[in-house]
Amino acid sequence: MRYLVALIVTLLASACMAEEWEDQRVFNAAADGPRLRIISSTDTALFAPLIEGFLTQNPDVSVEYLVTGTADLNARVRSAPEAFDVVISSAMDLQLKLANDGFAMPLENMPGSDWAQWHDSLFAFTQEPAAIVINRAAFAGYPVPQTRQELIEALRARPEAFRGKVGTYDIRQSGLGYLFATQDARASETFWRLMEVMGGLDLRLYCCSGDMIDDLTSGSIAVAYNVLGSYATARVEGKEALEVILPSDFQTTMMRTAMVVKNTQYPAVAEAFVRHLIVAGPELAPLPLLTSQQEQETAVITLEPALLTYLDTLKRRKFLTAWEDAVIQK
Amino acid sequence: MSASPAVSGSLRNRLVLTLIGGAAILALLLFFTVRSYAARVAQQGQDNILGASVTSILDAVALRDGELEVDIPYAAFSMLSTPSDDRVFYAIFQDGELLSGYDDLSATNGRPNGEWVFQSGEVRGETIRQVSASRTLVGLGTRTEVEVALGQTQDALAETLRQISRNAAYLGIGFFTLVAGLSFWATSATIGQLNKLTTSVTRRGPQDLSPFRKPVPREMAPLVSSLNSLMGRLDQSLSQSEDFIAEAAHRVRTPLATVRSYADATLQRVEKEENREALRSMVRAIDESSRAAGQLLDHAMITFRADHLEREEIDLVALVRDLVQRLTPIAEMKDLSLTLVGDPVVIYSGDPILIQNAVRNMVDNALKYAPAESVVEIEVSQGTQAQISVRDQGPGFPPSEIDTLTRRFERGKNAAGTIGSGLGLTIVQDVAKAHGGDLILTNRKGKGACVTLSL
Ligand SMILES: Nc1ncnc2c1ncn2[C@@H]1O[C@H](COP(=O)(O)OP(=O)(O)OP(=O)(O)O)[C@@H](O)[C@H]1O
Ligand SMILES: [Mg+2]
């Protein structure tokens, strides 16, 4: 009896889990061929053209596209890798750790540059800088900050104007936010000062780039730090209200990566899909796709084992403590 | 005549096999040595990086308020980047308890003081190289031991090893080819010396028993000197026997002449037919013996002169004409006429005594085997070679024996009843050979033999 209860509870829990997607869509549902299950952190709208491009080439395949945040995505893949065929995420460190831990299937003879892949199992296909996005209205009559230092000065100059109107990732929840924060911290001490200043202004924390940009557009916040430039640009078109600033002191650029899950049911289809992501032309997505012969930019976070560093439990605990100390000033 | 010697193995094959076999063994040795050395160096390289990484992590361990802090430096893992993107596993233990990292690695409880302990093992189905090091931290009233284990897969190392193996193989093959080529060359050079000696032995005339004077490699000197001494002894015993024959013939001839004149005289006086017949047979036998002795003497002389051939410019026509004149009386006794035809002058460089002797034997045969009242034609001509032919109108050579008549003491069926020793044509042949020429016996279409001495 007790087992039965336990079973029901687990089933319920997993059923609920199944419901908890940010977005869930099936492409080409009518096809009677294999159904590729893609778990991704990328908004469906931004990614759909890539899937559709793939489906025109493989009309008998259908794709189930499941969207969730980077941290949740990582947890789900770890707990049930057999539930997915392809994993796409912007949190390079979590992806690299998945690959390092053996969740990925190595693929041979893949196109693309060597620096844009790791261990033949993790493949980068976009290159997206972290940006400062501002609502122009809040800076009317004031110079628009171009560096973090200038942003610090701007916030300090008019604290009341910005109180409660500054947003960034809650790095405890967002894998990408954590990646950006750790890379920023590695690059410069300015990051910590900025966090302290922002923390002093009742910083608003977000799970995802999308929400931040929504609030920026609506004017409920004036500045968002470390938003995905690609998301912002995708929305900025036609919206005069926002301005995307790629800080000129230093940039942190992330690569969106894809991997085929080791025990996928459709290795060939999954591999073809990843291949499609690598070779897809820029017309296929609003995302800044990598081109095949591209050189690695210095700002791009390198796919290397060092990405494991900040995922270390002790290191992460220490970093989060420092971050909380700076940001949450009660 | 030359019996092929019993052959056991080949010097060339033995040399080549030994050298090539040696080269192959050396090449293999080279390959394995280079590879294992390079593999050690490559492994050393990976070990050093792993060690440096683990040390940098250990350095970042600190006790803060009794609480252990491990602030892994970014560079610690960054330095583990390899071209093959090797997977990295790490674990941090405090007093043997896993603090963070991968539980696939286990604490070694090895030596403290940051000393590196390496081991190879398997993690998640991959062979890894693992390094462990530990450090003792002493804080306020606490003492704790931190161990860091760091493992890395060996894909890049394997790739390096593959390349090294390939290069080592190229090196080995190159070395082998070079040495094999060299050994072939060395072998043929060595055997070449033997071949050279063989050719110079083969090229020698049948009578040439003079010692070899050409320089030979030191190793072959004993062989050549034994050969020389063998030939010296042979030469000596040959000339001794020639001398002996000549001496013997000479000694026999004089008493024979005496016996012959007595027999002749006795024949005049004996009346009884029976006794006369016996005496005639005796005279005949004496004639045979004295002819044989004469021809043996000539032959010995010819052999000697042929060995030490001294050439001089002579006019063959004059030489033959002189001879014809001297033989004409004998021819006339048999009602035979000798005619000399051909070129007016034929200049040739040779030994006149030998040539004269040869021609005399040729004419002698014509006189002996041609019927009376026929013509013996002697022709001296200068074509591509100087030639002397003697043609008679006799019965010709017995066709079945024509090939063997030049052998020593070989006489034809038609020779029964004529006095002779069977050495005449042998002498002619020896003279021809001594001058580098040839003797050709033919029967003419019409009738008669034709003997041609071409020089
Ligand atoms: N002109 C010739 N016609 C026919 N037969 C010949 C003639 N010359 C040689 N022969 C044959 O060749 C044989 C060998 O000749 P060769 O001159 O060597 O010996 P031979 O005349 O018998 O003896 P000798 O040594 O006294 O000359 C002779 O026995 C004879 O049978
Ligand atoms: Mg004769």
Side-chain angles (χ1 to χ4, degrees):
Chain A
M1 186 60 195
R2 230 192 303 161
Y3 286 114
L4 200 67
V5 173
L7 191 71
I8 290 167
V9 168
T10 345
L11 279 177
L12 275 177
S14 61
C16 290
M17 270 255 290
E19 298 300 306
E20 283 168 11
W21 296 104
E22 269 176 33
D23 194 8
Q24 182 174 16
R25 213 170 119 187
V26 178
F27 293 79
N28 203 16
D32 48 3
R35 171 162 296 186
L36 209 58
R37 295 155 305 165
I38 301 174
I39 182 167
S40 167
S41 68
T42 312
D43 285 0
T44 318
L46 293 174
F47 203 74
L50 281 166
I51 299 179
E52 278 150 10
F54 178 71
L55 290 178
T56 43
Q57 287 164 31
N58 302 273
D60 57 331
V61 175
S62 60
V63 169
E64 184 174 12
Y65 190 68
L66 307 160
V67 182
T68 185
T70 45
D72 181 50
L73 175 147
N74 180 58
R76 285 188 197 238
V77 173
R78 277 179 188 277
S79 61
E82 67 287 343
F84 312 101
D85 300 307
V86 176
V87 181
I88 291 162
S89 169
S90 51
M92 295 167 71
D93 48 354
L94 292 174
Q95 289 281 84
L96 189 113
K97 188 154 166 49
L98 277 178
N100 189 59
D101 292 1
F103 285 95
M105 183 172 81
L107 309 176
E108 276 170 21
N109 301 321
M110 293 295 279
S113 315
D114 192 48
W115 57 266
Q117 63 81 30
W118 190 79
H119 201 68
D120 291 332
S121 37
L122 188 61
F123 301 91
F125 63 99
T126 70
Q127 180 167 291
E128 306 169 44
I132 302 170
V133 182
I134 58 163
N135 189 314
R136 281 189 217 274
F139 283 86
Y142 295 94
V144 172
Q146 295 302 327
T147 63
R148 289 172 181 79
Q149 190 55 45
E150 284 173 23
L151 179 61
I152 291 172
E153 281 155 17
L155 294 179
R156 275 191 183 147
R158 297 185 291 144
E160 287 324 308
F162 291 111
R163 186 165 305 278
K165 297 202 132 209
V166 183
T168 191
Y169 275 114
D170 183 348
I171 67 169
R172 294 163 300 188
Q173 284 177 37
S174 161
L176 177 59
Y178 185 71
L179 174 67
F180 278 155
T182 51
Q183 293 294 329
D184 277 1
R186 225 164 57 76
S188 166
E189 276 299 315
T190 322
F191 170 75
W192 290 116
R193 274 190 283 129
L194 179 60
M195 283 302 122
E196 255 156 34
V197 171
M198 284 162 72
L201 293 172
D202 291 341
L203 180 60
R204 294 186 40 190
L205 300 174
Y206 291 84
C207 73
C208 359
S209 276
D211 294 359
M212 256 188 281
I213 288 162
D214 286 344
D215 282 1
L216 267 177
T217 322
S218 70
S220 61
I221 57 170
V223 180
Y225 178 69
N226 268 357
V227 189
L228 265 188
S230 48
Y231 278 50
T233 324
R235 303 259 193 109
V236 159
E237 283 155 19
K239 292 191 178 168
E240 283 298 303
L242 303 187
E243 182 170 344
V244 176
I245 302 156
L246 299 176
S248 59
D249 47 350
F250 67 90
Q251 282 179 31
T252 308
T253 302
M254 160 281 281
M255 296 189 290
R256 218 171 274 275
T257 54
M259 73 173 83
V260 173
V261 177
K262 192 170 169 193
N263 296 316
T264 172
Q265 284 173 40
Y266 310 112
V269 184
E271 179 177 339
F273 185 77
V274 172
R275 197 178 285 271
H276 170 75
L277 292 183
I278 298 172
V279 299
E283 71 284 354
L284 266 183
L287 294 169
L289 297 177
L290 281 176
T291 54
S292 60
Q293 294 307 317
Q294 205 163 331
E295 293 283 308
Q296 185 177 19
E297 283 173 25
T298 42
V300 171
I301 301 167
T302 313
L303 279 173
E304 56 171 351
L307 286 174
L308 301 178
T309 313
Y310 282 98
L311 297 181
D312 176 67
T313 342
L314 303 177
K315 182 103 177 172
R316 182 176 158 88
R317 196 190 300 151
K318 187 165 183 274
F319 188 83
L320 288 180
T321 313
W323 182 82
E324 281 169 344
D325 285 352
V327 164
I328 301 162
Q329 301 172 356
K330 285 281 135 69
Chain B
M1 250 284 286
S2 58
S4 46
V7 171
S8 94
S10 149
L11 214 56
R12 176 195 293 270
N13 289 355
R14 217 176 299 170
L15 259 177
V16 166
L17 277 184
T18 317
L19 289 174
I20 287 187
I25 291 169
L26 277 180
L28 279 179
L29 217 66
L30 187 74
F31 170 75
F32 285 115
T33 316
V34 167
R35 201 179 62 159
S36 81
Y37 180 72
R40 247 207 330 274
V41 170
Q43 183 62 71
Q44 190 76 55
Q46 189 189 27
D47 286 357
N48 284 341
I49 294 172
L50 279 171
S53 176
V54 94
T55 303
S56 75
I57 296 174
L58 268 187
D59 285 348
V61 175
L63 269 180
R64 201 145 292 161
D65 308 330
E67 186 76 34
L68 193 74
E69 250 187 38
V70 186
D71 190 10
I72 303 176
Y74 205 74
F77 290 155
S78 194
M79 70 174 88
L80 297 179
S81 289
T82 63
S84 306
D85 296 331
D86 277 301
R87 290 166 70 182
V88 169
F89 305 99
Y90 74 97
I92 301 169
F93 304 94
Q94 182 178 16
D95 298 322
E97 294 287 327
L98 181 71
L99 209 56
S100 91
Y102 291 77
D103 55 7
D104 309 71
L105 304 182
S106 51
T108 52
N109 297 317
R111 285 159 287 179
N113 307 326
E115 217 176 296
W116 302 339
V117 180
F118 293 99
Q119 68 193 71
S120 296
E122 202 166 294
V123 164
R124 303 192 182 200
E126 298 229 44
T127 31
I128 61 157
R129 183 71 173 171
Q130 188 187 325
V131 60
S132 311
S134 51
R135 191 179 142 195
T136 312
L137 290 143
V138 184
L140 288 168
T142 49
R143 183 191 169 88
T144 185
E145 170 122 352
V146 180
E147 179 179 335
V148 176
L150 188 60
Q152 188 182 27
T153 55
Q154 301 200 289
D155 297 353
L157 191 80
E159 177 57 33
T160 314
L161 281 188
R162 255 195 301 284
Q163 275 169 17
I164 290 170
S165 295
R166 203 171 35 237
N167 289 341
Y170 287 150
L171 190 70
I173 290 170
F175 174 79
F176 176 76
T177 331
L178 197 75
V179 175
L182 268 177
S183 63
F184 269 115
W185 175 79
T187 309
S188 5
T190 313
I191 302 289
Q193 290 294 335
L194 279 177
N195 285 343
K196 257 212 292 227
L197 184 66
T198 312
T199 353
S200 68
V201 172
T202 329
R203 276 233 201 93
R204 293 201 151 200
Q207 259 73 47
D208 187 357
L209 290 174
S210 63
F212 291 97
R213 303 234 176 270
K214 273 202 200 134
V216 291
R218 185 179 311 126
E219 291 74 11
M220 278 162 63
L223 171 69
V224 171
S225 78
S226 331
L227 207 62
N228 280 346
S229 89
L230 176 73
M231 287 198 301
R233 273 176 284 147
L234 195 64
D235 194 24
Q236 206 184 358
S237 73
L238 266 181
S239 57
Q240 263 174 9
S241 65
E242 303 256 336
D243 286 352
F244 177 77
I245 291 166
E247 183 73 20
H250 183 68
R251 278 179 190 270
V252 166
R253 222 164 39 157
T254 331
L256 272 180
T258 321
V259 174
R260 160 92 205 232
S261 64
Y262 281 123
D264 266 346
T266 316
L267 191 59
Q268 305 299 315
R269 290 199 301 268
V270 174
E271 303 276 299
K272 215 166 159 188
E273 192 48 37
E274 218 175 273
N275 294 345
R276 286 182 69 86
E277 192 48 44
L279 270 174
R280 255 189 238 111
S281 308
M282 200 166 111
V283 168
R284 233 185 105 76
I286 292 166
D287 280 349
E288 292 260 354
S289 303
S290 110
R291 170 74 179 166
Q295 288 288 75
L296 274 174
L297 203 56
D298 275 3
H299 188 252
M301 183 268 290
I302 299 271
T303 310
F304 177 79
R305 289 192 79 100
D307 277 356
H308 314 90
L309 189 69
E310 277 167 24
R311 291 175 185 263
E312 60 184 80
E313 294 268 302
I314 41 170
D315 176 11
L316 291 180
V317 181
L319 181 139
V320 173
R321 189 182 299 126
D322 186 45
L323 192 70
V324 167
Q325 258 163 29
R326 275 197 276 137
L327 290 174
T328 304
I330 306 170
E332 277 167 0
M333 266 165 54
K334 248 196 116 177
D335 287 335
L336 278 163
S337 57
L338 300 177
T339 59
L340 179 62
V341 296
D343 295 334
V345 178
V346 175
I347 301 297
Y348 177 74
S349 150
D351 184 336
I353 297 182
L354 291 188
I355 296 171
Q356 205 174 41
N357 207 309
V359 178
R360 205 194 43 243
N361 268 293
M362 286 154 70
V363 178
D364 187 56
N365 278 352
L367 298 181
K368 233 173 12 185
Y369 302 108
E373 288 179 22
S374 61
V375 179
V376 174
E377 191 179 68
I378 304 158
E379 181 184 344
V380 184
S381 64
Q382 172 76 72
T384 43
Q385 285 173 300
Q387 271 192 346
I388 304 169
S389 307
V390 177
R391 291 188 277 269
D392 62 42
Q393 294 170 340
F397 301 100
S400 58
E401 294 170 312
I402 198 160
D403 291 333
T404 56
L405 292 176
T406 50
R407 292 188 191 158
R408 269 186 219 181
F409 304 111
E410 196 81 33
R411 307 199 65 203
K413 283 183 287 197
N414 59 334
T418 50
I419 288 173
S421 63
L423 279 173
L425 288 180
T426 312
I427 290 171
V428 184
Q429 167 126 313
D430 285 356
V431 171
K433 288 271 148 74
H435 285 87
D438 215 349
L439 169 67
I440 304 145
L441 306 183
T442 47
N443 283 325
R444 288 190 295 152
K445 283 251 175 57
K447 210 172 171 254
C450 172
V451 185
T452 306
L453 168 67
S454 58
L455 296 163

